Amino acid sequence: MLNPIPNAEPANQNLTRRPWQPSDLKGWLVFALGMFFVLFGLPLVVGGVWLIAIGGSWYYLPAGIAFVISGALFMLGRRLGAALYGALFVVTVLWSLYEVGLNGWALMPRVFGLSILLLLVLAALPVLQPARPARRFVLIGLGAFVVVVGTIGVLVVTAGRPTMHNAVPVASTTSSNPEAVAADWPAYGGTYAAQRYSSLDQINPDNVSQLTRVWEYRTGDLPEERWGAETTPLKIGDAVYLCSARNILIALDARTGSERWRHDPVIPDENIPYTAACRGVAYFASAGSQACPTRVIEGTLDARLIAVNAQSGEPCTDFGDNGYVDTTRGMGSVAPGMVSMTSPPTIVQGVVVVGHQILDGERRDAPSGVIKGFDAVSGEMLWAWDMARPDLSGMPPTGETYTRGTPNMWTIASGDEQLGLVYLPMGNSAADYYSGTRTPPENQYASALVALDVTTGRPAWHFQTVYMDVWDYDLGSQATLVDFPTPAGPVPALLLPSKQGEIYVLDRRSGEPLTGVEERPVPTGGVEPEQRTATQPFSLYHTLRRPDVRERDMWGMSPIDQMICRIQFRAATYDGIYTPPTTETRWIQYPGYNGGSDWGGVSVDPQRGVIIANYNDMPNYNRLVPREEANERGWFPRDDPRNPEADSGGNPEGQGAPQIGVPFAVDVNAGWRMPVTGLLCKQPPWGGIRAIDLRSGETLWDRPFGSARANGPFGIPSMLPFEIGTPNNAGSVITAGGLIFIAAATDNLIRAIDIDTGRTVWQDVLPAGGQATPMVYEMDGRQYLVITAAGHHFMETPVGDYVIAYALPEID
């Protein structure tokens, strides 16, 4: 019987071998290392053959063969195994540098694990050969290990630093900014212009390190797995107003955070859609109301509009039915959870404008995306806009409903009080990924910004960002109103970010682009080739979108899962952005449906002339699933008793969405994750934050946003402090003190970033995910920063019920 590892006699070149003894632990360890090499190499061999066959990289097959042979030599006690592995290591480093250059995060899965194995091989050398020659090879190998790992470490540490550009921002030509806020924060975006800018400057880069928590409030609306408030509170006078995950309205003392009142509308659990979320409330003051001169207005998860007295929390008896209005009237059949309001209403000229979140991917005949306007005092419905029935301005005739399946507005609208326009970021028609049954009005208004006249509810203009959208590129971002600098002077404009990463600049009076928009050719084909358009509109002003993803951009925790992602890449259909949906193969959607820019939108410093945009940079890995196959998988609508997930809110945002009424269901791998490790297939960064010159659209600085501390394989936090660039949801706020305050990322941190340099100058760990936009206000001469920490279902951050305020220490 062959002994696993013969020991080596350090005599001369003609080594005399002796039988390997079972008690020789080192020998067994080297044998085990060889076995590991063989087992590690076999998948690389099989996968390498597969990858070559579909046109991919040739590296993995010879690497796998080298692992197998090297491991076998180790098991036989042959020193040649170490030499072969050393050669493989050198080739791997050279190949990695060829593919990705000095990109630390990209180098990590290629060579970091192999560097650790190099240490083990060096430790095995004395067992495989005489001690004196071994010492020389050990020193060489250790040097290689230090150089490679040290280089990767330096690159990873420096990867999160801002990339500065040569562009210099030109200050706004406007001497004053009527949309700036200071002591108060009266609307979700600061004002309905949504600049998210405050003229407060007490906190600045020099003293922000002294920020401390001054009060903490817990709503008591303790979340479950799919809950997260996402709330940006308001501050008016000496009170802070907010809503909890299940729409409990709360007023706090702005100085201490102590509760003044709460009003619970009692939302049944069956009405919770994907997640219990309330992004905010609205505030309205009217001398014409005796019952509620000042009121807080909220849309709820069961689609009611609620008005309560801002002083007491009691329902406003002059609003609707004792403070409540059912906004689903005229929609027809509405299953629980199908229609909800997760975003705050927008109030322009005394009209409360509301849209609805209609549950994605369920049915082609989902409830209507109708937009409604209500009187802010009486709650009377003033108008309704059903895009498919422009002649209908009120309730539909008896026995009829608003047109079902039309695009909805689930996110936050902005408004211009002087123009009397409200700007609606519209979503997609029901059955997001199939367009063959849509009507001309749906094709006209889907994924478009629509300006409605609040006096009539009729469109004044619209601007469409995607034609025949089958990628779920609905507009998630609130448009931001600015005075746009031009050679002829400031022009009333708005900035419109999109999930594709485009930022458009439009004249907010007419919708005409103020900067270039170019029609570019895009891929055609897919399951509906006759439905795909030859071009799509691209902004010439600015884009957050990165270059097309490539095979070499695939990632993982080891060469094996990186290879698997490469195989998936090569096996999928991908022709760049707007690759049409397919069913025979998966198709890659890049960017994915979370952006680019999602509901966090952008912030604008009008004095510096700077836009701040945080963004996502992840693909989705999708497939249209034929109806018969979808039925076999049990993919049924939320209200179908055959749906095993019906009691927990259904499948979130495309993951097994049945799309009843069209030929295909859809399977969306959001972020393109590996099934076991949970890591994303595309290399980092997966999210960033960028400063953009308002006048020119040029990048001032750009950096990955979000650290690796709460991320890791198998859902295990790595606690690494490196800025890897994580997915992020929610927006930022800018202050005149030169700071950007933002949470949003998956690392549960809130940060202060210097707007001039892009560097983080302060941060704090939140007790739950910070997927909410912060706000700032002043009380008794003291500046406060407030953030809701409640987690987020898609970001998979810890859930909670916290509202936290920060301020500088008081001076005695």
Side-chain angles (χ1 to χ4, degrees):
M1 180 179 176
L2 183 66
N3 290 321
I5 299 183
N7 279 327
E9 288 276 352
N12 50 41
Q13 294 299 318
N14 298 316
L15 297 176
T16 303
R17 299 187 179 275
R18 65 184 180 190
W20 179 75
Q21 302 299 320
S23 61
D24 192 340
L25 179 59
K26 291 181 180 180
W28 276 115
L29 291 177
V30 173
F31 185 86
L33 179 64
M35 179 65 73
F36 173 81
F37 271 44
V38 171
L39 295 177
F40 188 83
L42 288 175
L44 291 177
V45 171
V46 175
V49 171
W50 188 356
L51 186 57
I52 291 172
I54 56 179
S57 171
W58 281 69
Y59 163 78
Y60 295 90
L61 175 59
I65 293 173
F67 261 108
V68 171
I69 295 175
S70 178
L73 290 171
F74 282 149
M75 294 168 67
L76 293 173
R78 302 295 178 86
R79 67 194 66 171
L80 184 59
L84 179 59
Y85 181 78
L88 170 63
F89 182 80
V90 171
V91 170
T92 298
V93 171
L94 294 176
W95 167 77
S96 300
L97 292 173
Y98 165 76
E99 279 214 320
V100 299
L102 294 177
N103 181 332
W105 287 113
L107 289 171
M108 184 79 71
R110 290 169 167 84
V111 299
F112 186 80
L114 270 66
S115 299
I116 301 301
L117 292 179
L118 177 63
L119 281 182
L120 297 178
V121 170
L122 294 177
L125 274 178
V127 181
L128 297 172
Q129 61 185 24
R132 184 170 296 176
R135 190 178 302 119
R136 182 171 62 249
F137 287 112
V138 167
L139 291 176
I140 294 173
L142 282 175
F145 174 82
V146 170
V147 169
V148 172
V149 175
T151 300
I152 293 176
V154 169
L155 294 171
V156 165
V157 169
T158 58
R161 294 181 179 176
T163 301
M164 304 300 294
H165 296 257
N166 293 326
V168 177
V170 179
S172 172
T173 57
T174 307
S175 59
S176 63
N177 178 30
E179 301 299 346
V181 294
D184 287 349
W185 191 271
Y188 174 82
T191 69
Y192 290 121
Q195 291 184 358
R196 299 177 181 85
Y197 173 79
S198 171
S199 61
L200 297 178
D201 61 2
Q202 184 181 88
I203 305 171
N204 56 59
D206 293 331
N207 61 23
V208 69
S209 62
Q210 302 174 44
L211 272 187
T212 58
R213 296 189 189 186
V214 293
W215 57 257
E216 179 181 295
Y217 173 79
R218 302 195 66 173
T219 68
D221 192 4
L222 293 173
E224 294 180 356
E225 181 179 353
R226 59 192 174 100
W227 297 359
E230 305 176 11
T231 305
T232 298
L234 308 184
K235 188 268 184 180
I236 297 96
D238 63 353
V240 170
Y241 301 101
L242 63 128
C243 54
S244 73
R246 288 185 298 180
N247 298 125
I248 300 173
L249 285 165
I250 300 168
L252 306 177
D253 185 286
R255 299 177 184 85
T256 65
S258 60
E259 182 178 302
R260 290 184 173 176
W261 56 255
R262 64 167 45 207
H263 176 81
D264 188 351
V266 188
I267 305 298
D269 284 354
E270 64 180 0
N271 287 98
I272 298 173
Y274 310 122
T275 183
C278 181
R279 295 189 184 93
V281 298
Y283 179 90
F284 186 74
S286 172
S289 172
Q290 296 296 320
C292 292
T294 58
R295 59 188 62 197
V296 179
I297 301 176
E298 172 195 49
T300 67
L301 294 174
D302 57 2
R304 289 177 290 168
L305 198 60
I306 300 175
V308 302
N309 191 309
Q311 304 305 312
S312 65
E314 294 297 320
C316 297
T317 56
D318 57 355
F319 185 88
D321 182 8
N322 196 33
Y324 289 75
V325 171
D326 180 4
T327 68
T328 66
R329 291 181 61 230
M331 285 190 178
S333 174
V334 175
M338 279 294 295
V339 178
S340 58
M341 288 188 283
T342 55
S343 295
T346 297
I347 305 176
V348 176
Q349 295 186 355
V351 180
V352 183
V353 180
V354 300
H356 301 87
Q357 174 180 287
I358 310 298
L359 208 62
D360 275 352
E362 296 288 293
R363 299 178 178 276
R364 177 67 182 96
D365 66 343
S368 176
V370 60
I371 307 295
K372 295 184 177 183
F374 298 87
D375 186 276
V377 175
S378 69
E380 175 189 359
M381 192 181 83
L382 302 176
W383 48 258
W385 178 54
D386 179 346
M387 65 180 64
R389 301 181 64 176
D391 58 318
L392 181 65
S393 60
M395 290 290 293
T398 303
E400 299 181 19
T401 69
Y402 296 114
T403 308
R404 296 181 71 86
T406 54
N408 63 86
M409 183 197 72
W410 59 267
T411 189
I412 308 104
S414 46
D416 189 314
E417 187 76 13
Q418 291 184 335
L419 295 176
L421 297 178
V422 61
Y423 304 101
L424 312 174
M426 298 301 295
N428 300 331
S429 301
D432 302 71
Y433 297 90
Y434 188 86
S435 61
T437 60
R438 296 174 187 170
T439 63
E442 292 176 87
N443 289 331
Q444 181 180 10
Y445 290 113
S447 302
L449 187 75
V450 179
L452 287 190
D453 185 328
V454 295
T455 62
T456 64
R458 303 277 72 85
W461 57 261
H462 77 281
F463 177 83
Q464 192 165 40
T465 61
V466 187
Y467 308 141
M468 308 291 283
D469 186 357
V470 287
W471 301 273
D472 201 9
Y473 280 151
D474 52 328
L475 287 171
S477 295
Q478 184 182 23
T480 296
L481 279 56
V482 296
D483 289 334
F484 189 71
T486 71
V491 174
L494 55 79
L495 305 173
L496 177 62
S498 72
K499 289 185 175 181
Q500 310 91 280
E502 307 299 313
I503 298 179
Y504 302 94
V505 184
L506 309 177
D507 187 319
R508 65 177 183 261
R509 301 164 298 186
S510 64
E512 290 297 318
L514 294 175
T515 55
V517 176
E518 181 178 77
E519 294 289 330
R520 295 178 188 166
V522 293
T524 55
V527 298
E528 302 176 278
E530 71 286 351
Q531 291 283 314
R532 303 287 67 80
T533 60
T535 65
Q536 292 285 357
F538 291 80
S539 172
L540 299 180
Y541 174 72
H542 192 87
T543 183
L544 301 167
R545 189 179 66 257
R546 301 287 188 176
D548 291 347
V549 69
R550 306 160 299 174
E551 181 194 323
R552 65 181 59 182
D553 296 325
M554 298 300 99
W555 206 62
M557 62 180 294
S558 74
I560 291 178
D561 47 340
Q562 185 186 57
M563 178 188 66
I564 293 172
C565 287
R566 285 177 180 257
I567 291 172
Q568 290 182 354
F569 177 88
R570 287 292 179 180
T573 299
Y574 180 60
D575 298 309
I577 189 172
Y578 297 116
T579 296
T582 55
T583 186
E584 296 299 325
T585 65
R586 284 189 173 268
W587 91 92
I588 297 169
Q589 177 189 352
Y590 181 61
Y593 62 38
N594 279 95
S597 182
D598 205 347
W599 57 265
V602 300
S603 301
V604 174
D605 184 330
Q607 303 307 314
R608 288 178 171 83
V610 175
I611 303 167
I612 297 300
N614 57 299
Y615 58 93
N616 288 307
D617 187 26
M618 302 174 296
N620 286 355
Y621 196 63
N622 308 337
R623 176 178 170 245
L624 290 180
V625 179
R627 177 63 49 211
E628 183 177 352
E629 181 182 341
N631 291 342
E632 291 174 356
R633 294 191 184 189
W635 292 356
F636 300 104
R638 175 185 174 122
D639 58 346
D640 191 314
R642 293 174 294 177
N643 181 357
E645 303 292 332
D647 293 337
S648 61
N651 299 324
E653 303 184 61
Q655 298 174 27
Q659 297 197 141
I660 298 299
V662 300
F664 299 96
V666 63
D667 183 11
V668 175
N669 181 343
W672 191 359
R673 300 186 183 198
M674 289 286 289
V676 178
T677 64
L679 292 177
L680 279 65
C681 265
K682 176 195 162 292
Q683 70 188 26
W686 303 308
I689 187 167
R690 184 178 300 177
I692 304 161
D693 178 64
L694 175 63
R695 183 187 296 271
S696 66
E698 295 183 31
T699 297
L700 302 174
W701 52 258
D702 187 34
R703 54 167 278 192
F705 174 56
S707 71
R709 64 180 300 276
N711 299 273
F714 313 108
I716 302 171
S718 69
M719 301 311 295
L720 296 174
F722 307 128
E723 288 288 314
I724 193 171
T726 71
N728 58 91
N729 249 341
S732 64
V733 58
I734 305 172
T735 69
L739 293 173
I740 306 158
F741 291 107
I742 185 169
T746 59
D747 56 13
N748 312 322
L749 297 176
I750 182 169
R751 294 170 170 83
I753 297 173
D754 187 320
I755 194 170
D756 293 325
T757 66
R759 296 184 182 276
T760 298
V761 290
W762 169 85
Q763 65 185 31
D764 188 42
V765 179
L766 297 172
Q771 280 66 54
T773 301
M775 52 85 80
V776 294
Y777 64 85
E778 183 182 78
M779 194 70 210
D780 299 332
R782 194 181 193 191
Q783 181 179 336
Y784 292 78
L785 164 70
V786 175
I787 181 73
T788 298
H792 189 271
H793 72 295
F794 181 78
M795 297 289 117
E796 298 178 355
T797 51
V799 294
D801 63 340
Y802 300 86
V803 183
I804 300 170
Y806 298 87
L808 297 175
E810 291 186 289
I811 300 176
D812 296 331

